[in-house]
Amino acid sequence: MEITVEQMYNIENKGHDMGFLKKFMMENAGAAAVKKLVEKLGNVESKNILIFVGMGNNGGDGLVMARHLAGYGAKVTVMLLGTPENIKTEESNWNWSILEKMPSVKLMTGGTIDFNFKPDVIVDGILGTGISGEIREPYASAINYINQTNCYKFAVDVPSGLDPQTGETANIYTKCDMTVTFHKMKQGIPKRPDLTGELFAEKIGIPPEAEEGIL
Ligand SMILES: NC(=O)C1=CN([C@@H]2O[C@H](COP(=O)(O)OP(=O)(O)OC[C@H]3O[C@@H](n4cnc5c(N)ncnc54)[C@H](OP(=O)(O)O)[C@@H]3O)[C@@H](O)[C@H]2O)[C@H](O)CC1
Ligand SMILES: [K+]
């Protein structure tokens, strides 16, 4: 079953109100994404994994992935596309704070695209269901870097720049090898298999009762 982005936000909010906090959804989303990525790649130990993180909860999912991937022994670098004080949500901030206590994860901020290593894997945690309009900097430079870099690319929830509701693309967008969306498939995502690559919808523990009156 495919649902609308509006339905997804309503289900998220109802689940949160039931006590299954967005922080728990984010944890399960990041964990599910890492499970699929590691299943696909096999051993990620010592692999250079570069995670681009937007300032919203798509970025938050990327922050959770960073922590889990460090646990698998990957060499993780997080590029926050802004400054930590401008992280939009409490649940994203919570995960950023954990990473600040983890020397095993390299944190970069501000969005200046300049790395002294070639990534084996890039994770696109830039934009998800909160996308609106032309892609602004530094998100645009990050998307261009991802498309210009030859490595395995993984999209969190949806390739950034692809509208998960309509399946239309913004002025620029990422082209990925795998996409993991959460809870249920959003209507626009399956329209662009050329951008999503292998596509999965993973459950993240939202109570089925959170869909009552919405689906
Ligand atoms: N569905 C679920 O059960 C869960 C979903 N999760 C993840 O949450 C995101 C949606 O998070 P949200 O914070 O609502 O939105 P995004 O992170 O996608 O984007 C918002 C940020 O992006 C900026 N933005 C928006 N459009 C543009 C643009 N064209 N150019 C540049 N920047 C843009 C926006 O900035 P503003 O200034 O506009 O506020 C925000 O900073 C969903 O996709 C999932 O990944 C939960 O984490 C887990 C459960
Ligand atoms: K994304």
Coordinates of all heavy atoms in Angstrom, one line a residue, residues 58 124-128 155-160, ligand 2:
N58 N 15.3 14.1 8.3 CA 15.9 13.2 7.4 C 17.4 13.1 7.8 O 18.0 12.0 7.8 CB 15.8 13.7 5.9 CG 16.2 12.7 4.9 OD1 17.2 12.8 4.2 ND2 15.4 11.6 4.8
D124 N 22.9 9.6 1.8 CA 22.1 10.8 1.5 C 21.0 11.0 2.5 O 19.9 10.5 2.4 CB 21.5 10.8 0.1 CG 20.5 11.8 -0.2 OD1 20.3 12.7 0.7 OD2 19.8 11.7 -1.2
G125 N 21.4 11.8 3.6 CA 20.4 12.1 4.6 C 20.1 13.6 4.6 O 20.1 14.3 5.6
I126 N 20.0 14.1 3.4 CA 19.9 15.6 3.2 C 18.4 16.0 3.3 O 18.1 16.9 4.1 CB 20.5 16.0 1.8 CG1 22.0 15.6 1.8 CG2 20.3 17.5 1.5 CD1 22.6 15.7 0.4
L127 N 17.6 15.5 2.4 CA 16.2 15.9 2.3 C 15.3 14.7 2.2 O 15.6 13.7 1.5 CB 16.0 16.7 1.0 CG 16.4 18.2 1.1 CD1 16.3 18.8 -0.3 CD2 15.4 19.0 2.0
G128 N 14.1 14.8 2.9 CA 13.2 13.7 2.8 C 11.8 14.3 2.5 O 11.7 15.0 1.5
A155 N 20.2 6.2 -0.1 CA 19.3 7.3 0.2 C 18.4 7.0 1.4 O 17.8 6.0 1.5 CB 18.3 7.7 -1.0
V156 N 18.4 7.9 2.4 CA 17.6 7.8 3.6 C 16.2 8.3 3.2 O 16.0 9.5 2.8 CB 18.1 8.7 4.7 CG1 17.2 8.6 6.0 CG2 19.6 8.3 5.0
D157 N 15.2 7.4 3.2 CA 13.8 7.7 3.0 C 13.5 8.0 1.5 O 12.5 7.4 1.0 CB 13.3 8.9 3.9 CG 11.8 8.8 4.1 OD1 11.2 7.7 4.0 OD2 11.2 9.9 4.2
V158 N 14.2 8.8 0.9 CA 14.0 9.2 -0.5 C 15.2 9.9 -1.1 O 15.9 10.6 -0.3 CB 12.7 10.1 -0.6 CG1 12.9 11.4 0.2 CG2 12.4 10.4 -2.1
P159 N 15.6 9.6 -2.3 CA 16.7 10.4 -2.9 C 16.4 11.9 -2.8 O 15.3 12.4 -3.2 CB 16.8 9.9 -4.3 CG 16.1 8.6 -4.4 CD 15.0 8.7 -3.3
S160 N 17.4 12.7 -2.2 CA 17.1 14.1 -2.0 C 16.9 14.8 -3.3 O 17.6 14.6 -4.3 CB 18.3 14.7 -1.3 OG 18.4 14.2 0.0
Ligands
K2 K 17.4 11.7 1.6

